[in-house]
Amino acid sequence: MARLEVNQFPARSDNYGVLIHDPETGATASIDAPDADSILAALEEKGWTLTHILITHHHGDHTAGNKRLKVLTGCIIVGPKEEARSIPAIDVEVSEGDSVAVGNANGLVIETPGHTRGHISYLFPEDGIVFVGDTLFSVGCGKLLEGDAKTMWSSLSKLAKLPPETKLYCGHEYTDKNCQFALTVEPENDALRARAAEAAALTEKGEPTLPSTIGQELATNPFLRPSSPAIQKRLGMEGRELWEIFGETRKRKDKF
Ligand SMILES: [Zn+2]
């Protein structure tokens, strides 16, 4: 049964901050901590008190607010065990299959390495929401900074198996640019063309394109579609391993 309230807001230049709130207990978690100021402002606007920060990975644009928020609120900071040494003020180290309670809501840790070595995502199955940090973006995916294509493909495949109606929250607003690239590898995809038009219109108005859903990403995101015959043909990679086709798509995006 859905019970978490979710508040998404812009932070830094192109990050998103997200607060989740369990109305029964008042527990409130920030997904990552791009900067303390935007999170404090969002908490004040909602009248919520921060109890947790759930960190997806160690990058500064996801952890910069940790220390100040901890001093001001005494919140518990949860993050990936694999990157614990690089995460300021971490209290609880988690890995694959661990549960994270935010009040009465239960999050499940899914290891999704590739962008960083220990990147994790948080799934709230009863609420049908997943927070994927910089692993999966709408119509895109994170850069392979600390992992190879095979590792990232394995991580994306885990997310792809979630129920299609699962709502997807990501660390950044990159959808409009991602669509421009995606159209170069699969221009014949009608769902992608529709998403590109929608993302362009929303971005023009300064409105968010997120959350997305797993189902929408399966239909439009070239990084989840290496089995698409059109993509395989365009890359000249018919019948190759899916992780190799994913890897080639990622390389082309890096140069786009
Ligand atoms: Zn990152």
Side-chain angles (χ1 to χ4, degrees):
M1 192 173 47
R3 60 185 160 217
L4 279 176
E5 292 175 27
V6 183
N7 180 35
Q8 174 183 262
F9 50 93
R12 304 175 74 104
S13 57
D14 57 22
N15 284 74
Y16 275 122
V18 180
L19 294 174
I20 58 175
H21 177 75
D22 172 27
E24 286 172 26
T25 62
T28 303
S30 175
I31 309 300
D32 289 325
D35 71 273
D37 285 341
S38 64
I39 294 166
L40 290 166
L43 286 164
E44 183 164 330
E45 191 195 318
K46 297 300 261 181
W48 296 346
T49 304
L50 192 68
T51 55
H52 299 76
I53 300 175
L54 309 183
I55 296 292
T56 60
H57 67 296
H58 68 84
H59 286 159
D61 62 323
H62 294 255
T63 58
N66 281 18
K67 284 185 181 163
R68 197 160 146 239
L69 290 168
K70 182 152 188 78
V71 168
L72 291 173
T73 68
C75 64
I76 295 165
I77 301 182
V78 180
K81 185 175 190 170
E82 188 77 21
E83 300 181 356
R85 270 177 296 175
S86 318
I87 296 170
I90 188 168
D91 298 296
V92 181
E93 301 174 15
V94 293
S95 49
E96 179 80 18
D98 283 345
S99 293
V100 178
V102 178
N104 290 332
N106 269 311
L108 193 67
V109 174
I110 305 174
E111 290 185 348
T112 50
H115 175 66
T116 63
R117 204 162 55 91
H119 194 298
I120 59 176
S121 298
Y122 296 91
L123 172 69
F124 288 80
E126 287 170 44
D127 294 87
I129 304 173
V130 65
F131 300 97
V132 299
D134 288 359
T135 295
L136 180 60
F137 296 124
S138 186
V139 200
C141 76
K143 285 188 178 161
L144 307 185
L145 299 178
E146 298 175 16
D148 58 18
K150 207 169 189 176
T151 303
M152 186 62 140
W153 173 245
S154 161
S155 296
L156 293 176
S157 300
K158 285 183 183 176
L159 299 174
K161 284 186 198 116
L162 296 176
E165 65 276 16
T166 307
K167 281 195 186 124
L168 177 79
Y169 286 85
C170 324
H172 293 272
E173 178 61 68
Y174 293 153
T175 314
D176 187 30
K177 279 184 195 153
N178 286 343
C179 286
Q180 292 167 26
F181 167 74
L183 285 168
T184 69
V185 291
E186 200 179 21
E188 53 279 275
N189 180 337
D190 288 339
L192 170 60
R193 288 213 298 264
R195 176 62 165 156
E198 178 193 52
L202 288 168
T203 302
E204 174 85 30
K205 284 189 278 181
E207 289 177 17
T209 64
L210 293 161
S212 178
T213 64
I214 293 292
Q216 172 155 257
E217 294 313 310
L218 286 170
T220 58
N221 190 324
F223 297 102
L224 296 182
R225 298 175 54 77
S227 58
S228 152
I231 291 180
Q232 292 194 2
K233 191 162 181 221
R234 191 152 285 104
L235 301 187
M237 295 182 78
E238 285 112 319
R240 296 275 288 277
E241 296 281 346
L242 296 182
W243 70 264
E244 293 179 295
I245 298 162
F246 161 75
E248 175 60 25
T249 310
R250 183 60 256 181
K251 264 188 213 153
R252 290 186 183 213
K253 173 70 162 61
D254 289 341
K255 290 185 221 137
F256 182 70

